[in-house]
Amino acid sequence: MSQTTKLLMPDTEGFEDAARTLHAGGLVAFPTETVYGLGGDARNDHAVARIFEAKGRPRFNPLIVHVPDVETAKTYVEWGDAADRLASAFWPGPLTLVLPLKSDAGLSPLVTADLPTVAIRVPAHAVGRALLNAFGGPVAAPSANPSGRISPSEAAHVVAGLSGRIEAILDGGACDVGVESTILGLSGAPTLLRPGGLPVEALEQALGAPLAHHGKGDPLTAPGQMTSHYAPDARVRLDVTAPKPGERLLGFGPVDCTLNLSRAGDLTEAAANLFHHLHALDAQGDGPIAVSPIPQTGLGLAINDRLKRAAAPRDA
Ligand code: TXA
Ligand code: MG
């Protein structure tokens, strides 16, 4: 995929152009106080799938949803006392809260990797905030770097990494914080999920208690690693070109099937449809599901990763 990536200035015209691009399902890199984010409309499956594709991210890690203020955040998550205290102390700022997702939130399941929680934050950068206000919707954004590369702290880094793969880059100069936000889990006891731009001590002081830590390494890949999480009720058989009697085919490409991930064989479209179609097949009954072969390239890696989890033998 190669396209012209527009470099937008942080003025009225630039914000309007960026907001239009997001509404149309396009991707816009924008500054936050931590790092540049690669933004897409968090309600639009196709836009969110394209974020993974543009980054070359092999797994569907859940993404952080960016909103302009606390009131907007409350429309997507179940709010509570701890969230209230922390948000009034640190938002806007480099703190991400993981909270239970409201059932009517309307976010793409790709944003949350189909988890019952969502990571949400109100960034502090004036340019990022102006974009969120101009757009008026939730923006899903990982750091705006190709997967496995260093996070971008100025627009030129984004140009170097993602030019030709996204619609636009909103230039807001250098990021103050330069390291990603601190992530705090609040769906149970407050738990530090990722250390980041807001010091843990400040959080503990605001909460009046020490934080639980989620262990060493990169615990944040954990939600996506839970095999059972992706398992539908039905048994799942992969790489099927000839379904057996009674099997329902989840197709890819021009095949006869119950539901098709992408008749055109487009992996971005298939990624956008994946969780929706698995849910739909689950709701239709518990007859076995067969799945067409999916190429192991681009977003196909992430799709096959999730499908393998769905097909893995069950514990009980
Ligand atoms: O500063 C930042 O946080 C930047 C800017 C752009 O906001 N964003 C960022 O996003 O660092 P990303 O995608 O690189 O990191 C988000 C992390 C991932 O490790 C993901 O696993 C975790 O947040 N995460 C997202 N949703 C989660 C959830 N529901 N439960 C647990 N972890 C979650
Ligand atoms: Mg990152």
Side-chain angles (χ1 to χ4, degrees):
M1 173 180 57
S2 192
Q3 59 184 161
T4 309
T5 299
K6 279 192 279 188
L7 192 61
L8 302 175
M9 290 302 117
D11 51 25
T12 310
E13 207 180 308
F15 293 132
E16 278 172 7
D17 195 330
R20 253 197 324 272
T21 303
L22 289 174
H23 277 296
L27 303 187
V28 179
F30 66 98
T32 79
E33 75 281 24
T34 59
V35 298
Y36 273 73
L38 177 56
D41 185 339
R43 302 159 298 193
N44 180 328
D45 298 312
H46 192 260
V48 179
R50 280 198 54 219
I51 293 177
F52 291 99
E53 166 156 71
K55 280 181 67 84
R57 203 181 243 200
R59 289 177 192 281
F60 297 135
N61 277 341
L63 302 176
I64 297 172
V65 172
H66 299 68
V67 292
D69 49 50
V70 176
E71 288 316 306
T72 312
K74 286 181 184 172
T75 63
Y76 298 108
V77 294
E78 303 290 352
W79 202 245
D81 288 346
D84 223 30
R85 208 168 324 143
L86 293 169
S88 32
F90 302 116
W91 277 1
L95 172 66
T96 295
L97 299 177
V98 174
L99 289 157
L101 180 67
K102 277 193 172 164
S103 55
D104 59 352
L107 300 178
S108 165
L110 280 176
V111 168
T112 56
D114 219 18
L115 291 164
T117 55
V118 65
I120 196 158
R121 88 178 186 97
V122 175
H125 196 293
V127 173
R129 296 177 60 69
L131 171 63
L132 293 174
N133 281 313
F135 175 55
V139 174
S143 49
N145 50 283
S147 190
R149 307 289 288 279
I150 301 165
S151 292
S153 54
E154 54 181 90
H157 299 160
V158 186
V159 174
L162 295 177
S163 195
R165 307 179 68 84
I166 64 178
E167 275 70 20
I169 299 167
L170 187 56
D171 190 348
C175 305
D176 291 344
V177 178
V179 13
E180 287 90 343
S181 60
T182 300
I183 304 183
L184 189 72
L186 281 184
S187 52
T191 303
L192 182 69
L193 298 176
R194 176 177 78 182
L198 184 70
V200 173
E201 294 80 359
L203 284 173
E204 292 185 329
Q205 196 177 3
L207 287 168
L211 283 178
H213 287 236
H214 196 281
K216 295 211 163 72
D218 181 12
L220 295 176
T221 53
Q225 309 303 316
M226 290 187 310
T227 315
S228 61
H229 188 79
Y230 295 94
D233 287 336
R235 262 180 305 116
V236 178
R237 199 163 69 87
L238 304 181
D239 288 325
V240 175
T241 43
K244 295 178 185 161
E247 277 184 336
R248 297 171 296 159
L249 184 64
L250 177 60
F252 179 83
V255 292
D256 245 358
C257 56
T258 308
L259 285 176
N260 204 318
L261 289 168
S262 169
R263 188 158 292 282
D266 177 323
L267 288 166
T268 306
E269 185 185 12
N273 284 330
L274 180 65
F275 289 132
H276 288 297
H277 284 6
L278 283 174
H279 280 296
L281 288 171
D282 231 9
Q284 277 171 19
D286 59 3
I289 299 169
V291 188
S292 292
I294 314 282
Q296 185 70 353
T297 57
L299 282 184
L301 272 65
I303 296 168
N304 283 320
D305 172 75
R306 289 302 179 262
L307 284 170
K308 254 184 236 136
R309 292 168 201 286
R314 312 290 160 78
D315 288 342

mmCIF file of all heavy atoms in Angstrom, residues 55 57 143 145 151 180, ligand 2:
data_model
loop_
_atom_site.group_PDB
_atom_site.id
_atom_site.type_symbol
_atom_site.label_atom_id
_atom_site.label_comp_id
_atom_site.label_asym_id
_atom_site.label_seq_id
_atom_site.Cartn_x
_atom_site.Cartn_y
_atom_site.Cartn_z
ATOM 1 N N LYS A 55 0.917 -0.276 10.963
ATOM 2 C CA LYS A 55 2.035 -0.496 11.885
ATOM 3 C C LYS A 55 2.748 -1.822 11.604
ATOM 4 O O LYS A 55 3.823 -2.067 12.138
ATOM 5 C CB LYS A 55 1.530 -0.519 13.333
ATOM 6 C CG LYS A 55 1.280 0.852 13.933
ATOM 7 C CD LYS A 55 0.812 0.727 15.373
ATOM 8 C CE LYS A 55 1.852 0.196 16.329
ATOM 9 N NZ LYS A 55 2.773 1.200 16.866
ATOM 10 N N ARG A 57 1.617 -4.549 12.776
ATOM 11 C CA ARG A 57 1.522 -5.190 14.083
ATOM 12 C C ARG A 57 0.956 -6.598 13.914
ATOM 13 O O ARG A 57 -0.152 -6.759 13.420
ATOM 14 C CB ARG A 57 0.602 -4.367 14.985
ATOM 15 C CG ARG A 57 0.863 -4.596 16.456
ATOM 16 C CD ARG A 57 -0.098 -3.777 17.302
ATOM 17 N NE ARG A 57 0.624 -2.815 18.107
ATOM 18 C CZ ARG A 57 0.106 -2.242 19.191
ATOM 19 N NH1 ARG A 57 -1.109 -2.518 19.561
ATOM 20 N NH2 ARG A 57 0.808 -1.394 19.878
ATOM 21 N N SER A 143 1.054 4.044 19.582
ATOM 22 C CA SER A 143 2.124 4.939 19.173
ATOM 23 C C SER A 143 2.309 4.830 17.656
ATOM 24 O O SER A 143 2.138 3.755 17.072
ATOM 25 C CB SER A 143 3.410 4.591 19.915
ATOM 26 O OG SER A 143 3.661 3.208 19.843
ATOM 27 N N ASN A 145 4.430 4.396 15.296
ATOM 28 C CA ASN A 145 5.680 3.845 14.759
ATOM 29 C C ASN A 145 5.403 2.475 14.146
ATOM 30 O O ASN A 145 4.462 1.792 14.568
ATOM 31 C CB ASN A 145 6.705 3.687 15.881
ATOM 32 C CG ASN A 145 6.129 2.956 17.076
ATOM 33 O OD1 ASN A 145 5.385 3.536 17.859
ATOM 34 N ND2 ASN A 145 6.426 1.670 17.196
ATOM 35 N N SER A 151 9.132 4.522 19.562
ATOM 36 C CA SER A 151 7.983 5.425 19.487
ATOM 37 C C SER A 151 8.409 6.815 19.015
ATOM 38 O O SER A 151 9.487 7.287 19.362
ATOM 39 C CB SER A 151 7.312 5.534 20.859
ATOM 40 O OG SER A 151 6.717 4.315 21.200
ATOM 41 N N GLU A 180 5.476 6.659 26.747
ATOM 42 C CA GLU A 180 4.044 6.406 26.735
ATOM 43 C C GLU A 180 3.414 6.589 28.118
ATOM 44 O O GLU A 180 4.105 6.583 29.139
ATOM 45 C CB GLU A 180 3.766 4.975 26.248
ATOM 46 C CG GLU A 180 3.980 4.781 24.769
ATOM 47 C CD GLU A 180 5.405 4.375 24.423
ATOM 48 O OE1 GLU A 180 6.298 4.549 25.284
ATOM 49 O OE2 GLU A 180 5.610 3.884 23.302
HETATM 50 MG MG MG B 2 3.741 1.381 21.225
#
